[in-house]
Every structure is written in structure tokens, then in C-alpha cells.
Amino acid sequence: MTTAPVNIEELRALIARALEIEPEEVTDEAHFTDELDIDSLLMLEISTRVENTFGVPENTVVVSGARTLAELHAVVVSKLVSETSTQPVIRPRPLRDPAARLFLFHHAGGSHLLYRGWAELFPQDWELCLVEAPGRGRLQSLPLIDNCDRLVDYFHTAIAPLLDRPFGFFGHSMGALIAYQLTRRLHHGGDPLPDWLGVSAYGAPRGEAGADDRPHLMSDDDLRGWLRNVGGCQPQLLDDDAIWHKFAPVFRGDFKLLDTWAPPRAPEPLPVPLSVFGGRRDKLTGEDSLLSWEAFTTHFRRLELYEGDHFYLTSHRRHLAAAITAAMRSSAA
């Protein structure tokens, strides 16, 4: 990977060539989709050019969600900082001595970008830690981990040095399973436990999935159709063949992790306060399934439902952040 400085003018010229316009038309703050009319295929082409020119990981631009030249420049510069390129914990607002840490775990097929912008919604003396699985985002150069226990091992090693003060876990969808299993791992190992555990849009552990409930075994067309039907993926990833084929292996690997995980038999309830969150119109996880988490903790807090589907949280960030803050503070009191 190159370590040469990234000149914003080089990026401006690269984008201009892809759009066949003059460089001065690509201003620093011009919005890619609204003002420069860059669609998903053009963004994929620009991403490839950026990767080849600057030596950043594959699909950097598409995954980053950069909306302007200035944002893209910041993303590329961050990619070239080698000491952070393989770290699974992203701290948007690093603090020297945080009062608490909140670890956020993303959904299947997703990345830490699910929680982009969340740090500003929490207390200023809290440090948010966005935990990213290998094979996506900043960790695209690493192989996917499609086994739950191995991914928990990987995260356990990564976060162990950060458990030196009060902390909490929050996981959405697949991230809820990872947060739960990681809490069990800490409990069984005699390690510090989170003050609070939050699970979102994922039902409590149950028996193994049947043959019809294993998305990782579906054909490509069936998997796309299933994701579209249940609202388990952003439509733009499903509607564009080129983008879908970039992300399909990540979805399939994550679903293999979920489909092959064997729930514990009669697990001991965790001695950790647990709150549950979900969307009222979630086709993947119903209210009864969410409420069944009560049996997995000695301190069940409550179920909070919001208007929306499986990704309800993108429309309720501020309210959800307030609920998480209140739950953590109450649990630590």
C-alpha cells in the first residue's frame, strides 16, 4: 500500500475524467448524486480508479458512503494510515480517559457504517467503538469469518484491552447475536462483563434453523429475492448487478455464520441487564421472538418498538441513542 500523500487535486482530476467534465466542475462540496449526477455504476468505476491509483482496498469508495470530493479525500487519506488498516475497532471520537465505552456491532452484510454519525448523539465523555467484521469496509483485505465462535474469538482479542472501564454492548441483527455470544464468552472466562447489553432486530436463540431458513444455501437469484421481500438489505445493493456481485459474498458468508450457529442448550441466564429493540413492521423478527430474550438474562429491562422495518434504527437514531444512554446509566447505577 502506498504511503504517498493524497493530493485532493489528483482526486478531482480522476473524477472529472470519469465524468468527462472539466476538473473545476468538481468542487470540494459538490454532492456526488445530486449535483454531479453520479449513479451507482459510475461510482463503481470511480471506486476502481481510486483503488488502482492510490492502492486503497477494493470497493473503498462505494462502501465509504462518501458524498463529496472533500469526504472522499478524507476517506482515502484514512485508508493509507497503515497502523489502523487492520484494526476491527473504529473509534470516531477517541478519548484519553472515557467515562464509559459503548461497543456497536453491525448487521449481516453490513459494516461499521451502520453507526456513522452516532458518536455525536451520546455523552461527550463516552467513547463509541464501532466493531467491524473482516472482509468489508476497512478490513476488506482480510478473509471473511463465517463461523460465529471464530468471529467472537476475533472480536474478544480485539476489544480485551478496552474493557478497563464501564462498557456496554449493542448489536443490530447479526450484531445482536455476536454481542450476546461475546457476553457469554466474557462471563464464562471470568472477564469483565458489560454493564448493559442491547439487542436489536434479532430474536432470542432457538433451535437450529430448518432447511427453508438457510439463506446462505439459496441460489443467487433466490437470495436477492428473499432479501428484497424481507427488507434485509438496502434496495440499491439489490437493484444493481455490479454492486450486488461485490457484496454478495459478504451476505452469503454472514448468513452462513447465522445459519450454522448452534444455540446453547438451556443456557444459564446472563447476570447482565438486557434491553431489546425492534421495528414494528420487521418481517424477519416478530414481537414474540424479541420478548423471548427475557429468559436469557437475570435482569430483563424492556422491549422498545419503533415504527419501521428491519432497519428501523436508521430513522430513529436520536431516540434510540437516548434510550441506550438511559439504559446504560441505569444499569451502572
Side-chain angles (χ1 to χ4, degrees):
M1 181 178 290
T2 180
T3 57
V6 180
N7 189 313
I8 195 169
E9 297 306 324
E10 294 180 78
L11 280 175
R12 193 188 315 279
L14 182 152
I15 293 174
R17 286 196 297 272
L19 301 179
E20 298 182 348
I21 61 177
E22 295 300 319
E24 55 268 25
E25 295 180 60
V26 186
T27 61
D28 288 7
E29 301 300 333
H31 197 283
F32 285 163
T33 55
D34 296 339
E35 298 178 61
L36 296 179
D37 198 25
I38 299 177
D39 60 19
S40 55
L41 286 177
L42 267 174
M43 188 59 73
L44 197 61
E45 179 182 347
I46 290 171
S47 182
T48 300
R49 294 190 184 198
V50 169
E51 295 155 15
N52 294 338
T53 302
F54 299 104
V56 295
E58 182 181 6
N59 214 28
T60 288
V61 178
V62 173
V63 173
S64 74
R67 296 164 296 180
T68 66
L69 176 62
E71 290 183 7
L72 177 58
H73 181 247
V75 167
V76 174
V77 169
S78 71
K79 289 292 181 182
L80 300 182
V81 180
S82 59
E83 60 266 26
T84 63
S85 62
T86 59
Q87 295 300 313
V89 181
I90 296 95
R91 291 184 279 179
R93 190 179 60 199
L95 299 176
R96 184 183 300 275
D97 186 27
R101 289 191 172 104
L102 176 63
F103 295 86
L104 302 173
F105 300 87
H106 61 75
H107 57 292
S111 72
H112 77 279
L113 294 175
L114 175 68
Y115 302 111
R116 183 172 57 183
W118 278 44
E120 64 192 39
L121 304 177
F122 286 87
Q124 290 297 306
D125 59 353
W126 285 22
E127 185 173 73
L128 262 63
C129 300
L130 318 185
V131 186
E132 186 149 80
R136 73 210 74 207
R138 301 186 351 162
L139 305 183
Q140 286 199 24
S141 61
L142 302 180
L144 291 162
I145 297 179
D146 58 11
N147 175 275
C148 185
D149 289 339
R150 287 198 293 113
L151 186 57
V152 168
D153 286 341
Y154 178 77
F155 286 154
H156 185 195
T157 300
I159 72 171
L162 302 174
L163 306 184
D164 59 346
R165 63 203 60 231
F167 67 94
F169 289 161
F170 175 85
H172 179 70
S173 195
M174 179 184 79
L177 170 62
I178 299 302
Y180 167 70
Q181 281 293 90
L182 188 49
T183 303
R184 293 185 70 235
R185 177 70 53 83
L186 296 175
H187 181 45
H188 293 159
D191 295 318
L193 290 175
D195 288 337
W196 173 82
L197 171 63
V199 294
S200 167
Y202 190 82
R206 55 185 177 85
E208 292 190 50
D212 294 335
D213 299 321
R214 293 176 174 264
H216 85 280
L217 297 178
M218 294 179 179
S219 69
D220 195 67
D221 287 343
D222 286 346
L223 179 57
R224 289 172 82 172
W226 178 80
L227 283 168
R228 194 186 308 277
N229 180 58
V230 300
C233 175
Q234 295 86 344
Q236 58 267 34
L237 296 185
L238 300 172
D239 295 338
D240 190 298
D241 288 343
I243 293 179
W244 165 251
H245 290 304
K246 287 276 189 179
F247 285 93
V250 179
F251 278 102
R252 200 170 291 280
D254 287 351
F255 285 132
K256 182 179 179 181
L257 180 153
L258 293 169
D259 295 344
T260 59
W261 176 65
R265 294 185 177 181
E268 177 186 359
L270 291 170
V272 175
L274 186 150
S275 302
V276 186
F277 305 87
R280 296 185 186 279
R281 293 181 283 106
D282 189 343
K283 295 182 180 179
L284 282 171
T285 309
E287 184 174 348
D288 289 344
S289 181
L290 294 173
L291 283 170
S292 61
W293 276 107
E294 185 172 4
F296 291 80
T297 174
T298 58
H299 305 288
F300 185 73
R301 287 306 175 93
R302 58 183 298 185
L303 166 64
E304 294 192 25
L305 293 177
Y306 295 81
E307 287 304 318
D309 55 17
H310 193 64
F311 288 100
Y312 73 91
L313 72 176
T314 60
S315 300
H316 300 280
R317 297 191 313 164
R318 192 168 298 278
H319 289 99
L320 191 56
I324 292 172
T325 301
M328 272 193 64
R329 283 177 167 166
S330 174
S331 299

